[in-house]
Amino acid sequence: MTSTGGGGGSWLRAVAGDGGRGPLLARGGQLVHGPRRLGELVQGRPPGVTGSQWSTASREGYDLVVCAADTGRPVFAVEVGPVAAPGSAAQRAERLKNAVAEAVGLAVLRIGSPTLRAEEHGRRIVAYVIDARAYAALGAGEPDDTGVPPIGFRDILGRLPDGRTGHVNDLGALARAAAVEAYVSRRLADPIVRGLHVRWTGGPAEGWSWVRVRSDACLVERVTVHPQRVSAGVDPGRLAEDLAAVAVGERLRALDAAEAVLTPWDELLAEIRGLESRHDELTGGFAFAHLCAD
């Protein structure tokens, strides 16, 4: 097979809303499309990729694709859902897809979660990332002339739906409110959704979130965020932690059925201590040592 690159040196193909597959969302000068196969985004097999590799990778897909509204070219693709099991056929196909994406310069935001799904949460996540990226592009992350630290997108304060003042860009806000309601109705032992986040050197950011259902057992969610060649507009670790809180909120909806999947507090504490013991593998170290106290 002969490889054919895109015009202007680009291997990425403009995404069209054909066959009834128009954009799901228009935001910030960008269009968000639904699922697309890698082969629909790339103009031919790139150099260094064998025919067999291309055949497998081109059939793999992304849940959402964010494109520039003026050119239709992909800005970044998004995946939301469970991480492929180590050594599985799905993981091997994922590696081939990653290699092709790297070869053609396709930016990808991968969100790994056993609970979150693109169909239910994808639009909200992508809208958040588009807004965060636009805010960062305004230079809001640069110190001012007085040296006062800038206010990041995640730290903007405003009026919340319940009338309180809080962080309006906290994706986990609804989950935190649901936890308070569950506590008031005596379905939780603690009303606070707690969490932590780390970033593995050379790997993804990871966020944990949990709430105590009983004094000795917690509902726990973990989410990984792996931005490849793309900025999420916010710290990926904090994004992962907030998304883990979103996942906790999903689990709270079926709290009465969650008994079998609760994590003993002693087990969670041991896992947190295990993270602390691996601080040398983390970018920025481990900032949550206070959670290790019994």
Side-chain angles (χ1 to χ4, degrees):
M1 179 185 295
T2 301
S3 301
T4 55
S10 173
W11 283 88
L12 299 180
R13 185 196 306 273
V15 177
D18 55 350
R21 295 192 299 170
L24 304 175
L25 178 68
R27 196 179 189 95
Q30 295 171 78
L31 301 177
V32 181
H33 293 272
R36 292 292 193 277
R37 291 180 294 104
L38 180 60
E40 296 180 85
L41 306 179
V42 179
Q43 306 190 66
R45 175 167 59 92
V49 177
T50 68
S52 175
Q53 291 171 333
W54 172 247
S55 177
T56 299
S58 63
R59 293 193 297 268
E60 294 296 306
Y62 298 99
D63 296 311
L64 298 157
V65 182
V66 180
C67 299
D70 55 351
T71 66
R73 291 282 179 84
V75 178
F76 62 97
V78 180
E79 295 178 353
V80 183
V83 176
S88 65
Q91 187 188 57
R92 291 191 291 273
E94 181 77 12
R95 286 175 176 168
L96 287 176
K97 182 172 68 170
N98 292 349
V100 174
E102 177 73 31
V104 300
L106 175 62
V108 180
L109 179 63
R110 291 184 171 85
I111 297 169
S113 167
T115 299
L116 303 180
R117 295 293 184 274
E119 296 83 357
E120 299 176 38
H121 311 100
R123 292 195 199 189
R124 182 185 175 199
I125 293 171
V126 169
Y128 180 92
V129 170
I130 289 174
D131 290 348
R133 283 165 54 86
Y135 183 84
L138 294 174
E142 299 297 327
D144 60 23
D145 294 338
T146 66
V148 175
I151 297 175
F153 183 77
R154 173 61 175 78
D155 296 317
I156 295 173
L157 295 174
R159 184 175 294 276
L160 300 176
D162 61 5
R164 295 180 299 111
T165 296
H167 295 109
V168 296
N169 293 321
D170 174 11
L171 283 168
L174 294 178
R176 302 182 206 286
V180 172
E181 292 177 3
Y183 174 76
V184 170
S185 62
R186 300 180 183 277
R187 298 168 64 219
L188 292 181
D190 188 328
I192 301 176
V193 177
R194 306 179 190 277
L196 61 81
H197 61 268
V198 297
R199 187 162 191 177
W200 298 100
T201 300
E206 184 172 345
W208 297 14
S209 190
W210 64 89
V211 64
R212 288 206 190 202
V213 178
R214 302 192 308 262
S215 61
D216 63 346
C218 302
L219 191 160
V220 181
E221 283 287 331
R222 297 175 177 85
V223 170
T224 56
V225 170
H226 199 174
Q228 296 180 276
R229 300 171 297 283
V230 61
S231 168
V234 295
D235 175 77
R238 294 189 69 186
L239 177 59
E241 183 179 335
D242 284 350
L243 288 173
V246 173
V248 165
E250 290 296 315
R251 298 267 304 279
L252 284 175
R253 295 183 182 184
L255 184 59
D256 295 337
E259 186 70 19
V261 291
L262 296 182
T263 300
W265 168 246
D266 289 345
E267 179 180 320
L268 177 59
L269 182 59
E271 291 177 348
I272 295 173
R273 288 171 174 164
L275 273 184
E276 182 186 32
S277 70
R278 299 176 64 187
H279 63 89
D280 289 343
E281 302 173 48
L282 304 173
T283 298
F286 184 74
F288 300 89
H290 59 282
L291 296 173
C292 295
D294 193 349

